[in-house]
Amino acid sequence: EAQVTQNPRYLITVTGKKLTVTCSQNMNHEYMSWYRQDPGLGLRQIYYSMNVEVTDKGDVPEGYKVSRKEKRNFPLILESPSPNQTSLYFCASSLSGIRETQYFGPGTRLLVL
Amino acid sequence: GNSVTQMEGPVTLSEEAFLTINCTYTATGYPSLFWYVQYPGEGLQLLLKATKADDKGSNKGFEATYRKETTSFHLEKGSVQVSDSAVYFCALRDGADGLTFGKGTHLIIQP
């Protein structure tokens, strides 16, 4: 089944404790991205990757890191999480970066205390 | 920059009512337009899309037409069901950027 998977689905952590949210897709998509969803703000892009070893900032990159060492994986790293990063995070992928449909993972709900 | 504006709601309708959720956009190029749906506790699913002016996207009884002259992509359904209760997001994608989303419309259908 074609899908985007994320792990973990739920995470509670404390300020400053590094964490990684994994994202994997099995559709051989070139383009992958991370969004966060917050009440009243909708979804905003954090980082994106056009292909392996190519990443770029989205609208709200501060406090986040990403890497794209393999085509199928695009982990999101919070080196020193803060409470304002409490949010619902979605990974998404698309065949290419030019106006294509993006397919979303199930989401990771993060609470930073 | 690009932007999407949609009614936030909540929008409450009775079962079998006609649904319209308005969506207008601003874009510098020629974007593709999308409607995504988020059911409670789930991720975003693509509902329909249109890639050029006058295209009509349709799925599950929902329709939306890409209107370049009015920069709109309104979502419609002739007869809603309780199972359509969800949050609906209008979005555009222009060039190599990611999706630009509206803030979402919470739809509640009462039996």
Side-chain angles (χ1 to χ4, degrees):
Chain A
E1 180 191 353
Q3 60 182 349
V4 179
T5 56
Q6 295 177 227
N7 283 292
R9 294 289 312 279
Y10 304 92
L11 181 58
I12 301 174
T13 191
V14 296
T15 299
K17 187 175 181 182
K18 181 179 178 180
L19 66 91
T20 299
V21 183
T22 64
C23 172
S24 183
Q25 51 91 7
N26 63 1
M27 296 171 279
N28 202 35
H29 284 172
E30 291 187 350
Y31 188 103
M32 297 185 74
S33 59
W34 278 101
Y35 295 84
R36 60 178 289 174
Q37 183 181 14
D38 301 291
L41 297 176
L43 285 96
R44 297 172 292 169
Q45 188 172 237
I46 303 169
Y47 267 96
Y48 65 94
S49 170
M50 298 281 286
N51 213 325
V52 176
E53 302 293 358
V54 179
T55 64
D56 210 343
K57 297 177 181 178
D59 298 319
V60 288
E62 294 77 21
Y64 304 95
K65 283 177 57 177
V66 293
S67 68
R68 187 90 181 275
K69 292 184 171 54
E70 306 165 284
K71 198 172 188 178
R72 63 183 292 128
N73 296 322
F74 191 47
L76 179 69
I77 303 157
L78 284 71
E79 295 260 352
S80 182
S82 62
N84 64 11
Q85 293 179 297
T86 292
S87 188
L88 178 57
Y89 291 87
F90 290 102
C91 182
S93 71
S94 63
L95 193 59
S96 74
I98 309 299
R99 296 191 296 277
E100 292 274 345
T101 301
Q102 286 200 311
Y103 296 91
F104 284 77
T108 295
R109 190 168 291 280
L110 172 65
L111 173 62
V112 183
L113 300 173
Chain B
N2 298 334
S3 66
V4 175
T5 302
Q6 61 179 111
M7 54 209 309
E8 293 186 38
V11 174
T12 303
L13 296 173
S14 298
E15 208 166 19
E16 298 184 5
F18 184 87
L19 168 70
T20 300
I21 301 177
N22 289 338
C23 171
T24 57
Y25 68 90
T26 302
T28 52
Y30 299 94
S32 295
L33 302 176
F34 305 86
W35 278 100
Y36 283 85
V37 58
Q38 185 177 32
Y39 298 103
E42 297 186 13
L44 278 80
Q45 301 175 24
L46 176 68
L47 181 59
L48 53 85
K49 71 175 185 180
T51 58
K52 61 182 189 296
D54 300 325
D55 268 2
K56 177 187 283 189
S58 61
N59 186 26
K60 299 181 181 180
F62 291 90
E63 292 183 339
T65 301
Y66 191 144
R67 301 283 188 203
K68 191 164 183 286
E69 63 276 12
T70 54
T71 61
S72 65
F73 193 54
H74 304 322
L75 182 68
E76 297 182 334
K77 186 175 184 182
S79 176
V80 292
Q81 306 299 313
V82 172
S83 57
D84 294 326
S85 298
V87 180
Y88 292 81
F89 291 92
C90 184
L92 68 82
R93 192 169 188 197
D94 187 9
D97 292 339
L99 288 159
T100 299
F101 285 91
K103 293 187 177 180
T105 299
H106 186 194
L107 176 65
I108 301 168
I109 307 300
Q110 296 178 333

